[in-house]
Amino acid sequence: MYPEDRRAKILNYINSRDFTDVPQIAEKFKVSEITARRDLLILTKSGLINRVYGGVKSSPPASAAEPVFTEHLKEFKEQKQQIAKEAIKYINDGDTVFLDSGSTLLELARLLPQKKNLKVITWGLHILDMLCDLARKGDFDGEILCCGGTWRKDPDLFIGPQSIRFFDDIIINKAFLGIIAVSLDFGWMGSSLIEVEATKKIMSISEKVIGLAVSGNFSKTAIARIGTLKSLPVVITDSGIDKRTIKQYKGKGLNIIIAAQ
């Protein structure tokens, strides 16, 4: 069972009982108390449960104004899996790969056991957790690196000046970036200025940059501009994108690859 699937079951269990503690979770889900404690910590930081004396209890649902990364895992899952299956084709054995934060990148991380001798760099806590879990089971063959920074609740990543300095002496073969917004007028965008700065740093040290975007993220805007459409060499999207949109963006210089269904 993948860590995020286990945590979803733990969350349902807590919501059905209102209160539980680490030993109960460890026994119920047949994991160590260390793993149970880590799962509860992640759920607490995500705002899904509350820590109380002696254990944890269920938390009221987050408001629409406060999105939680866990919710993104459920959205457009089939489209994200399509994109991931196409993206894995670009990774070769022995590559040094960067995986951005995001649920589409998490689907790509699931497929990395297909490759050998990888060096994977990420700032996404959810991706780091999955890769470490795969490595403990002997299912992932490679090294895992995580840059420093301050943890942000949504989109569940470490970011900050330390993150940018981490990449000063690193060369990346393939960088996979999650695209949350792209438009004909403004190019492609990110959710914060510090993420934009860090993304530009990663692009500058990468031999190949590949954007991953569900079709619904086209013709959307976000607060911070990363670059023009031509600055993004290639974007992989799902088969739900319409022909008119493809023509418009290709006309502006964006190379779009449609993942197979």
Side-chain angles (χ1 to χ4, degrees), residues 186-229:
F186 300 109
W188 58 300
M189 292 148 276
S191 60
S192 72
L193 293 175
I194 187 64
E195 282 185 54
V196 167
E197 184 180 355
T199 298
K200 288 181 177 179
K201 174 69 174 183
I202 290 164
M203 292 177 68
S204 72
I205 60 169
S206 299
E207 294 175 347
K208 189 174 184 65
V209 177
I210 301 168
L212 307 183
V214 294
S215 54
N217 287 349
F218 283 82
S219 301
K220 290 178 66 175
T221 58
I223 191 170
R225 188 184 189 206
I226 299 173
T228 65
L229 294 177

Side-chain angles (χ1 to χ4, degrees), residues 88-97 115-116 118 174:
I88 193 69
K89 299 175 184 178
Y90 291 82
I91 299 177
N92 299 318
D93 292 347
D95 274 347
T96 297
V97 176
K115 305 296 180 177
K116 296 180 179 180
L118 297 179
K174 316 281 172 55

Side-chain angles (χ1 to χ4, degrees), residues 98-251:
F98 173 78
L99 296 187
D100 195 359
S101 175
S103 49
T104 305
L105 279 299
L106 186 63
E107 294 297 336
L108 177 56
R110 293 183 195 274
L111 304 180
L112 292 184
Q114 298 177 17
K115 305 296 180 177
K116 296 180 179 180
N117 301 319
L118 297 179
K119 293 180 177 64
V120 181
I121 306 168
T122 187
W123 52 32
L125 178 58
H126 47 291
I127 293 173
L128 179 66
D129 191 43
M130 170 177 283
L131 290 176
C132 289
D133 193 62
L134 289 170
R136 291 187 195 100
K137 296 174 182 176
D139 294 331
F140 175 71
D141 178 19
E143 296 181 27
I144 305 165
L145 298 88
C146 183
C147 57
T150 301
W151 179 75
R152 288 185 58 199
K153 177 178 177 180
D154 187 19
D156 195 30
L157 56 72
F158 293 97
I159 197 73
Q162 305 97 318
S163 309
I164 298 171
R165 290 195 296 270
F166 174 87
F167 293 100
D168 283 347
D169 299 312
I170 289 178
I171 300 297
I172 296 169
N173 300 126
K174 316 281 172 55
F176 293 87
L177 304 177
I179 310 300
I180 65 167
V182 57
S183 80
L184 293 170
D185 294 327
F186 300 109
W188 58 300
M189 292 148 276
S191 60
S192 72
L193 293 175
I194 187 64
E195 282 185 54
V196 167
E197 184 180 355
T199 298
K200 288 181 177 179
K201 174 69 174 183
I202 290 164
M203 292 177 68
S204 72
I205 60 169
S206 299
E207 294 175 347
K208 189 174 184 65
V209 177
I210 301 168
L212 307 183
V214 294
S215 54
N217 287 349
F218 283 82
S219 301
K220 290 178 66 175
T221 58
I223 191 170
R225 188 184 189 206
I226 299 173
T228 65
L229 294 177
K230 290 183 179 180
S231 71
L232 186 59
V234 60
V235 173
I236 301 174
T237 191
D238 60 84
S239 57
I241 191 169
D242 62 81
K243 293 181 179 179
R244 181 171 177 270
T245 299
I246 295 171
K247 183 177 180 180
Q248 287 177 325
Y249 280 87
K250 284 191 173 182

